[in-house]
Amino acid sequence: MNMLFSLTFALLSALPPAQTSKDEFVFNNRGEPESIDPHFATGVPDNSVIAQIFQGLMARKADWATLVPGDAESYKISKDLKTYTFKIRKGLKWSDGTPLTAKDYEYSWLRVLRPETLSNYSYWLTDNVVGALAYQEKPTPENAAKVGIKAIDNETFVVTLNKPVPYFLHLTAETILAPVKKEVVEKWGSQWTRPENIVSNGPYKLSSWKVQDRIVMDKNPLFHDAANVKLQRVVALPIEDRQTGVNMYQQGKLDWSGHNGAPNSLVPAFKANPDFRIFPGFISYYYLFNTKRPPLDNPKVREAMVLTIDRDELVKQVTRGGEIGYGALVPPHTGTYGGAQGLPSKDFKADVAKAKKLLAEAGFPEGKGFRTLNLLYNTDENHKKVALALSQMWKKNLGITVAPFNQEWKVYLKSQNAKDFDLSRQGWQGDYPDPATFLELFQSKSGNNHTGWASAEYDKKFQETNNMPAGKARDAKLKEVEELLLKDAPIAPIFIYTNFGFLRPEVVGFEENSIDRPYVRYFSKK
């Protein structure tokens, strides 16, 4: 029997009984986390674990977009929208039973800024908090005292911004601004997140971590809302191969096949299965250009390559997961934001003709004299298919050669950070429901800008949007920012993801959310 038909038939048939217990949630994490230190993490596998074992001042409901009180039971915002006063819950405890206070937040947020941490997200604070940049550049006690991050007493935490930030509360719910316990971090150093050392504050606590096997998290009885946490255990499996994940789901060994947890080629057939979920994501898929390496330092070359990607062909014939071919960065209809106009037009043939002219103007007519470019992607069958398809498009349309190569997740991240590539695959999942979560990435000092591209005009325009209230005027300014980025083309936008995967019918409380992150504290099983 054809293997594709066999697998599809099996998943359309009745499932065998679940092999997981009624008091646990087992899911495919799609990879080994690079780090579960909240101040270091960037990847989806990292944050899917951290979201279970840590919590910030604010928290998220299962739908991800809705904020609820976290460690802070309440907050007040000043009339000028620059000062936030959070009241920490009385009696809050770490998982080791010691008190968790506002002073833990002061320590943790300052740690995000310190050079030894080198958090990729430190710009969330340096861009927005009074004195944060000066402290990061010179972390002296004198500068620390000037940072707008203050524990007034054990239950009062005050943050002073240098401008209004419309999405600031959403930042306080993200993993990067979760608290860590000073005594544990300083005692164990880089080993503090090991199961035998870690202390956390979330609904679950880390019990064991067997690399390339499983991460086990057990219910934290000291969590402030433990009475409403139904499931006793969460198990994350680092299965990179999607078909393996689907097979394990079909065998009853997984409750959820994970973020995009199925082979793209099988999505059309799986749609008939009642366990299969598919919905729009808040994730852009694009390639980074290393703008410091010739010939990619020439904007004409980058624009030519952007224009010669046949996005419609790619999503229909190659990825086949319901993705939306898209020539811009910010997903359409993000809040009230309508989106920007990218470089590609609706006439692909005209775009190819324009691209050939641009490449000739850059000194490479028909691709002559153009060196072979390397294209980095993290190990994944779908990323490989996309890389090969785009390489063929660039060869056919421009006469240039692009050679894809893959690396495992942790090595791939190190290569990106070191800018050790010509082109690199990038997928970005928004951290909060606002266009800024994508556009902030390409500021000159952003720790997540791996392109080498820097624009003072871009920085200035983006910062101006933070001084504006949400609404049409801010949306228009954000559009200007995005179009400036797209015009200079340090990135090649390709498509917007959908989220899909299998979920066991016994699971209750799992809500579809646009970043496909599980918040297991809200789940139960029938």
Side-chain angles (χ1 to χ4, degrees):
M1 181 182 288
N2 179 278
M3 288 299 294
L4 176 63
F5 177 79
S6 177
L7 179 60
T8 303
F9 178 80
L11 281 161
L12 290 174
S13 303
L15 281 176
Q19 304 300 305
T20 60
S21 73
K22 275 201 167 185
D23 61 0
E24 70 177 351
F25 181 76
V26 182
F27 72 99
N28 178 9
N29 200 36
R30 294 294 317 286
E32 197 73 54
E34 180 190 23
S35 173
I36 59 168
D37 183 327
H39 303 161
F40 284 90
T42 58
V44 172
D46 310 31
N47 285 304
S48 291
V49 171
I50 294 171
Q52 318 310 323
I53 59 177
F54 286 94
Q55 176 177 256
L57 291 166
M58 299 297 289
R60 297 192 181 279
K61 295 191 75 171
D63 68 357
W64 176 73
T66 304
L67 292 176
V68 294
D71 279 358
E73 64 182 3
S74 65
Y75 63 88
K76 291 182 180 179
I77 306 174
S78 62
K79 289 183 178 180
D80 65 1
L81 306 179
K82 295 182 182 180
T83 302
Y84 288 69
T85 302
F86 296 92
K87 296 303 291 186
I88 304 298
R89 296 175 186 275
K90 292 182 180 180
L92 207 59
K93 294 184 183 298
W94 290 104
S95 59
D96 65 353
T98 56
L100 193 164
T101 72
K103 293 178 182 178
D104 291 303
Y105 272 95
E106 180 177 295
Y107 164 77
S108 299
W109 285 28
L110 289 175
R111 178 180 183 252
V112 170
L113 294 169
R114 285 199 286 274
E116 62 266 27
T117 306
L118 291 175
S119 171
N120 281 354
Y121 282 96
S122 65
Y123 62 89
W124 280 8
L125 300 180
T126 57
D127 284 357
N128 301 318
V129 175
V130 168
L133 180 59
Y135 175 71
Q136 184 177 65
E137 293 176 342
K138 192 176 181 181
T140 62
E142 293 78 13
N143 281 343
K146 298 175 184 177
V147 180
I149 296 170
K150 304 291 183 188
I152 305 303
D153 53 43
N154 284 343
E155 295 168 3
T156 310
F157 183 62
V158 179
V159 183
T160 306
L161 306 179
N162 52 34
K163 63 202 170 202
V165 180
Y167 47 86
F168 180 72
L169 277 180
H170 279 281
L171 301 187
T172 70
E174 281 305 307
T175 55
I176 185 62
L177 295 182
V180 297
K181 189 174 180 181
K182 177 182 179 180
E183 294 80 3
V184 173
V185 172
E186 293 185 349
K187 178 179 180 179
W188 299 106
S190 63
Q191 302 300 304
W192 82 269
T193 56
R194 293 177 64 90
E196 62 269 26
N197 302 330
I198 193 170
V199 173
S200 58
N201 72 323
Y204 295 90
K205 57 183 181 179
L206 182 66
S207 297
S208 66
W209 184 350
K210 296 180 180 179
V211 176
Q212 296 304 329
D213 180 26
R214 65 190 55 225
I215 294 174
V216 178
M217 297 158 276
D218 286 313
K219 181 177 175 178
N220 174 12
L222 299 179
F223 181 58
H224 68 86
D225 194 32
N228 291 313
V229 177
K230 305 301 182 185
L231 297 181
Q232 299 296 310
R233 175 168 286 186
V234 185
V235 181
L237 306 181
I239 307 163
E240 292 188 354
D241 182 73
R242 299 187 192 195
Q243 185 159 317
T244 299
V246 170
N247 290 344
M248 289 184 68
Y249 176 85
Q250 196 275 332
Q251 294 162 10
K253 296 177 181 178
L254 290 173
D255 293 306
W256 179 44
S257 65
H259 168 65
N260 286 354
N264 282 51
S265 60
L266 298 180
V267 168
F270 287 159
K271 286 180 180 179
N273 190 303
D275 293 354
F276 193 71
R277 308 152 49 255
I278 183 167
F279 53 95
F282 195 45
I283 313 177
S284 291
Y285 191 106
Y286 51 94
Y287 280 175
L288 306 175
F289 292 112
N290 187 338
T291 65
K292 296 299 184 183
R293 289 187 178 182
L296 298 176
D297 57 344
N298 189 328
K300 290 185 177 181
V301 171
R302 302 196 299 265
E303 183 176 352
M305 295 182 71
V306 171
L307 290 172
T308 45
I309 299 172
D310 191 338
R311 293 162 180 80
D312 289 341
E313 177 75 10
L314 183 75
V315 299
K316 290 177 182 177
Q317 302 300 328
V318 179
T319 61
R320 302 182 65 197
E323 298 86 354
I324 303 167
Y326 200 56
L329 174 65
V330 181
H333 311 301
T334 298
T336 59
Y337 184 66
Q341 176 60 52
L343 291 173
S345 71
K346 294 182 180 180
D347 187 340
F348 184 64
K349 288 184 179 180
D351 285 347
V352 171
K354 180 181 179 181
K356 289 181 176 180
K357 182 179 179 182
L358 287 167
L359 196 65
E361 291 173 357
F364 307 101
E366 302 297 325
K368 294 178 181 177
F370 198 97
R371 71 173 177 85
T372 297
L373 301 177
N374 66 60
L375 166 56
L376 169 66
Y377 65 93
N378 57 295
T379 304
D380 179 275
E381 188 61 29
N382 195 51
H383 300 331
K384 178 180 180 180
K385 289 178 180 178
V386 172
L388 291 174
L390 265 64
S391 299
Q392 292 168 3
M393 291 177 190
W394 285 321
K395 186 68 174 179
K396 175 183 176 182
N397 296 319
L398 295 175
I400 66 176
T401 300
V402 175
F405 73 103
N406 65 298
Q407 293 178 339
E408 296 305 311
W409 179 251
K410 292 184 180 181
V411 181
Y412 152 83
L413 289 177
K414 289 179 181 178
S415 295
Q416 274 204 342
N417 285 328
K419 297 181 180 61
D420 187 15
F421 61 86
D422 292 324
L423 294 96
S424 177
R425 184 210 76 84
Q426 179 73 62
W428 192 259
Q429 178 173 272
D431 292 305
Y432 49 90
D434 187 278
T437 190
F438 293 92
L439 299 177
E440 68 182 9
L441 302 175
F442 297 99
Q443 296 178 95
S444 302
K445 294 184 178 181
S446 167
N448 289 309
N449 182 357
H450 307 303
T451 66
W453 180 78
S455 166
E457 182 183 5
Y458 183 89
D459 294 348
K460 179 176 180 292
K461 284 181 177 290
F462 178 77
Q463 290 302 323
E464 288 173 354
T465 68
N466 282 336
N467 293 317
M468 304 173 71
K472 291 183 179 180
R474 181 171 178 267
D475 286 346
K477 177 65 73 171
L478 286 166
K479 185 176 181 181
E480 289 180 23
V481 174
E482 184 175 6
E483 289 182 346
L484 195 159
L485 172 77
L486 299 173
K487 180 180 179 181
D488 218 26
I491 64 171
I494 302 173
F495 58 75
I496 303 299
Y497 268 112
T498 49
N499 294 320
F500 52 81
F502 288 92
L503 180 71
R504 295 286 305 193
E506 296 91 345
V507 177
V508 177
F510 189 118
E511 290 190 35
E512 295 178 351
N513 65 64
S514 58
I515 67 168
D516 221 15
R517 181 182 296 167
Y519 290 95
V520 185
R521 62 179 285 193
Y522 301 111
F523 301 174
S524 61
K525 283 185 175 179
K526 59 186 178 182

